Amino acid sequence: MTEATIKEARILMVDDDVSSTCLMANFLNRIGYSRLKGLNDSTRTFEIIETFRPDLILLDLAMPNITGFQVLEELRSNRRNEDQVPVLVLTGDPSSENKRRALAAGATDLLVKPFDASEVSMRIRNLLQAHFLRLEIQDQNHLLEERVRERTSELESALSDLNAAQRMLVQHERLSAFGEMAGGVVHDFSNALMSIIGYSEMLITNPGARANEATALEYLRIINTAGRDGAHVVSRLRDFYRPRGAADLFEPLDLSEIGLQSIALAQVRCSNRASDRNIGFETELESSAPIAGIAAELREVLTNLIFNAVDATPGQGLITLRTREQTGEVIVEVSDTGSGMNADVRQRCLEPFFTTKGDQGTGLGLAMVFGIIKRHQGTLEIESEPGQGTTVRIRLPASTHLQESQPSAVSSFENSAIANPSQLAVCMS
Ligand SMILES: Nc1ncnc2c1ncn2[C@@H]1O[C@H](COP(=O)(O)OP(=O)(O)OP(=O)(O)O)[C@@H](O)[C@H]1O
Ligand SMILES: [Mg+2]
């Protein structure tokens, strides 16, 4: 704050004695103050304050009609704290009682007549400097409050945008999870239908197969299993909005048996797609330890892996299904001698809708495998090198080693066979 600013101050002098106000005005003028107003009728004090808006009031105490004390009290009761104008009381009564009363009534400072000129000048200057500093702080405070209000409203609007975006994201994720799950259902249901159509066609077109009761019964059993598996696949749509019930509790299963059933179901695909190929099937089934699971889902897993192995074998090749036991686990492997995967495909093969087969593939097979194995508390390993074939290895806990929490308690979202690949323990090499 500059000296010039202080000298710009408006000073109101209230004193019933005209000569006192004249003398004071002359003195103030001499020391550089020019915006002055003298008031000899104290009854008009508040009217003049409203119009003149003083930065300092010089107030006499002993005045007729309204005394200086009354003015002080009125000022104090009428003004908000931030509108307070400093009041320098000028009094001829040097008694301490008079000083105490004036200060108690709200006087900012007090001088007893006759005054020392330089003391008056210093006190006025100090009071004005403090007053202007207080005004400056008040302005800064208003500015800060305004900024805080602005920032708060900006933050509130950003928060509401964020909430809206979050709601949209959740909606979008639900829709896309539903889309993936529905795609998976279509994918696996088509696989089941393919087995039903393939084996029933063989029965229709092949009188020999019909005549041989054992063969006909075997085909009918496969058709029946595929039909049941298809029904199970469709029930996944229901799982999306309704958690699994007691009927879906796991049962003890023999993976070697599931493996044989899966080969039978998958062989139709081989005859459809691989008519010009020479693909052999081999089994090395060493495990009979029970695992806890859902048979239809594990057949889906193995038929998907066999389909992939068939697709990866362009000419001659061998597909091997192995089961074995290893400390508390049952391992099932599907190996092929096919084209194998490069690092990029190996990285991405579990992503829903990732396929290298163009229109021939949906890219949902391994994603389904993935979700099912996760629900069975298993792990998945993929070993594959270009030109060296592929082995997909699944480890499932032997039923005595299963954790207590079974999937019936899992939410419908987690039950969706499409899972986020990053959530499953997968080892790839
Ligand atoms: N045994 C395998 N050998 C070589 N590549 C494989 C093998 N299994 C999977 N892949 C690769 O992983 C990709 C994804 O497989 P996934 O089963 O998810 O879908 P898809 O087989 O392409 O389509 P769909 O399952 O609908 O037929 C395949 O497109 C293929 O490139
Ligand atoms: Mg596939």
Side-chain angles (χ1 to χ4, degrees), residues 64-113:
N65 302 324
I66 295 182
T67 67
F69 292 113
Q70 284 168 310
V71 170
L72 282 170
E73 254 142 37
E74 187 85 13
L75 267 176
R76 195 167 56 177
S77 61
N78 281 354
R79 299 246 142 180
R80 286 178 300 145
N81 211 19
E82 58 182 39
D83 294 337
Q84 291 291 345
V85 182
V87 181
L88 173 59
V89 166
L90 307 172
T91 175
D93 179 352
S95 71
S96 10
E97 172 56 19
N98 189 50
K99 286 183 196 167
R100 195 199 55 75
R101 254 188 84 196
L103 290 170
T108 324
D109 201 355
L110 185 139
L111 277 172
V112 180
K113 298 172 191 174

Side-chain angles (χ1 to χ4, degrees), residues 11-31:
I11 302 176
L12 173 65
M13 298 159 290
V14 186
D15 195 327
D16 60 318
D17 181 9
V18 180
S19 61
S20 288
T21 48
C22 283
L23 271 171
M24 182 54 84
N26 283 338
F27 170 70
L28 291 174
N29 245 317
R30 268 207 319 278
I31 59 174

Side-chain angles (χ1 to χ4, degrees), residues 187 269 273 304-305 308-309 311-312 336 339-341 345 349 351 354-357 360-367 384 390 392:
H187 174 273
R269 165 103 150 206
R273 283 211 186 166
N304 268 306
L305 297 181
N308 281 349
D311 293 345
D336 64 63
S339 55
M341 298 182 232
V345 174
C349 64
E351 282 175 23
F354 173 79
T355 181
T356 54
K357 299 174 190 169
Q360 296 288 309
T362 64
L364 286 169
L366 285 181
S384 188
T390 299
V392 180

Side-chain angles (χ1 to χ4, degrees), residues 283-294:
T283 53
E284 295 169 17
L285 305 173
E286 293 168 12
S287 163
S288 57
I291 59 115
I294 298 172

